Every structure is written in C-alpha cells, then in structure tokens.
Amino acid sequence: MKIMLINPNTTQYMTDSILKCARRYASPGTELYAVTASFGVSSVECYVDEYLAAPAVLREIMRGEALGVDAYVIACFGDPALQAARELTDKPVLGIAESAIAAAKMIAPCFSVVSVLDRSVKVTADVVSAYGAAPFCRSIRSTGLSVLDFGKDTDRGLSALAEQSRRAVAEDKAECVLLGCAGFVDFVEKLQRELGVPVLDGVSPAVRFAEALVGLGLRTSKVNTWTSPEKKAYTGYPFPDMNKS
C-alpha cells in the first residue's frame, strides 16, 4: 500500500515532521511518500494562501497517479484543493481537517480547534462548517502566532498552544482538542498528557483512514460530481494538461 502525504506549502521541515508523525501510526508494510510543494507559499494561513497552494497540490496528485499511489493525504488543516484533487483520481484523497473532525466525533461529544493567527479563525470555522460539524464545535481558538513562528521558537509555540488548549477545555468545555495546523504534530503527546482529553493532529487519523479505505477496496466515486474534468485548454500552469495521461 502506497500513501502520498502532500504538504501544500514549500517549507521542508514541516514535511519532515508530517512524515515522522505518519510513520508512527502507519501499519507495517505501508509505504509513505512525503512531498513538499515545489512552488507556492511558505505557509497556509489565509484564503489567498489556500488558493495559491492549490495548483501545487493538484500537480502532486498527477505525479502520484504516475507512481501508482493508492491513497493521498493533503496535510494542511484547511484541506486546500481537496475536492479538486478527488476529480483527478479515483484513489481515496483525505484532508487532515476532515479526518480529525471525523475521528473527534467518534470519541467525544464536542471539540475545540486551536489554530494559528487570529485571522485564521474564520478560515477554520468555514472548514468546520463545510463538514457539518459546527454543532459539535465548542470554540476555535487562536495562538496569535504564525505557522512559521512555531518553527522558529518551538517552546514559545508550545506554550501558546497549551494555554489556548487549556482554556478550550476549562472555559469552553471542550472534551477533545484538534490542533488546527499540520505543523503542530510534534506537540500532540505533550498536550494530551497535560490536558487529560483526547488531542488530535489530523495527520495520524488521515493515514489510518486512508489505509482502511484502501483495505476495503473503496475508491472515489466517479458517477458525477467527482468525475474527471471536461477536456479544455489549461494555459500557463506549470504542469502538463491534466486531460492527458
């Protein structure tokens, strides 16, 4: 079984952390391919970032098809280009936000999300709402730090993340905490020990869900909505015509 982990931003150390996390939870024999966007943005924190990251995600999906990948994980909590990616392949494509939310609903009656910048709160709220999970979401909290700030000073990042997670549990009565950034995967175990509630990063459930879908022989429906794009010219994009195989 081959699973491709796609980091939609261009920051390599984040890809390394995502792969390290995925390896801890993947089954023996599962091959993991972690790729970093070859062009785009260094971090994804706002709507512009998500749209600019999308073409690189689609490029990696097309590359994965040539490599015989069995499933894909888009490792960014905004799940950029997820629906479009499902049009390019009949293999399972999972977003880490969708996976984290699905897992949280199975193990807790409600959850909170702790994210990055203040401006990212609305972006995250849109994601939660899109998956029909707003009634289960107690709050979406911000650390006030950017994605790259966490890489520059991990102690400061963990402190901010822990503070907002504690407040989500104590003040918002969250019974599960979702970490709203793929760059937070290194903090899960420490936070779970401290908070006493389940803490989910998104990458680990996405990998296990991907394995389950492949193991069940399930593929992306191509009946209508997620069928391949109609044949037309795509001009100026840095990848081959997506109608060619």
Side-chain angles (χ1 to χ4, degrees):
M1 187 184 301
K2 300 178 182 179
I3 298 176
M4 177 179 280
L5 308 164
I6 303 173
N7 175 12
N9 69 48
T10 60
T11 302
Q12 182 61 41
Y13 77 78
M14 224 173 292
T15 307
D16 297 338
S17 294
I18 290 164
L19 178 59
K20 181 181 177 181
C21 172
R23 281 176 172 161
R24 288 202 300 270
Y25 296 99
S27 300
T30 295
E31 297 180 46
L32 298 172
Y33 297 83
V35 296
T36 306
S38 57
F39 61 96
V41 294
S42 59
S43 61
V44 179
E45 294 158 314
C46 64
Y47 297 111
V48 167
D49 293 342
E50 288 194 2
Y51 279 89
L52 292 179
V57 172
L58 300 183
R59 184 180 189 182
E60 296 304 333
I61 296 289
M62 286 185 277
R63 285 177 170 175
E65 292 298 278
L67 293 171
V69 169
D70 296 304
Y72 303 87
V73 172
I74 299 176
C76 171
F77 206 81
D79 291 352
L82 178 59
Q83 307 301 321
R86 287 170 173 164
E87 294 181 354
L88 294 181
T89 178
D90 65 350
K91 314 296 176 48
V93 186
L94 294 91
I96 64 169
E98 184 176 36
S99 299
I101 290 168
K105 290 173 65 178
M106 295 178 196
I107 60 174
C110 57
F111 62 85
S112 285
V113 183
V114 182
S115 190
V116 283
L117 297 173
D118 293 346
R119 68 176 301 168
S120 303
V121 170
K122 178 60 167 61
V123 178
T124 303
D126 286 352
V127 172
V128 171
S129 179
Y131 294 135
F136 306 93
C137 185
R138 291 286 190 178
S139 62
I140 298 172
R141 287 185 167 271
S142 162
T143 61
L145 302 176
S146 72
V147 173
L148 299 180
D149 285 337
F150 280 83
K152 295 173 184 175
D153 190 339
T154 55
D155 289 339
R156 181 188 176 203
L158 177 58
S159 177
L161 200 58
E163 171 63 21
Q164 293 304 319
S165 297
R166 283 193 295 267
R167 293 183 63 183
V169 173
E171 299 175 18
D172 307 329
K173 306 305 179 185
E175 298 184 45
C176 178
V177 172
L178 309 187
L179 303 184
C181 175
F184 294 168
V185 292
D186 294 331
F187 304 127
V188 174
E189 293 179 4
K190 291 180 181 178
L191 289 173
Q192 187 155 278
R193 287 195 300 268
E194 178 178 339
L195 298 174
V197 301
V199 177
L200 294 171
D201 60 83
V203 174
S204 50
V207 168
R208 298 295 290 195
F209 286 157
E211 289 181 333
L213 292 173
V214 174
L216 289 167
L218 296 175
R219 290 176 174 260
T220 298
S221 173
K222 292 294 177 180
V223 174
N224 184 25
T225 305
W226 287 333
T227 192
S228 299
E230 286 71 26
K231 292 185 179 296
K232 65 188 73 172
Y234 292 88
T235 305
Y237 291 98
F239 45 74
D241 185 335
M242 63 181 65
N243 290 307
K244 295 179 181 179
S245 58

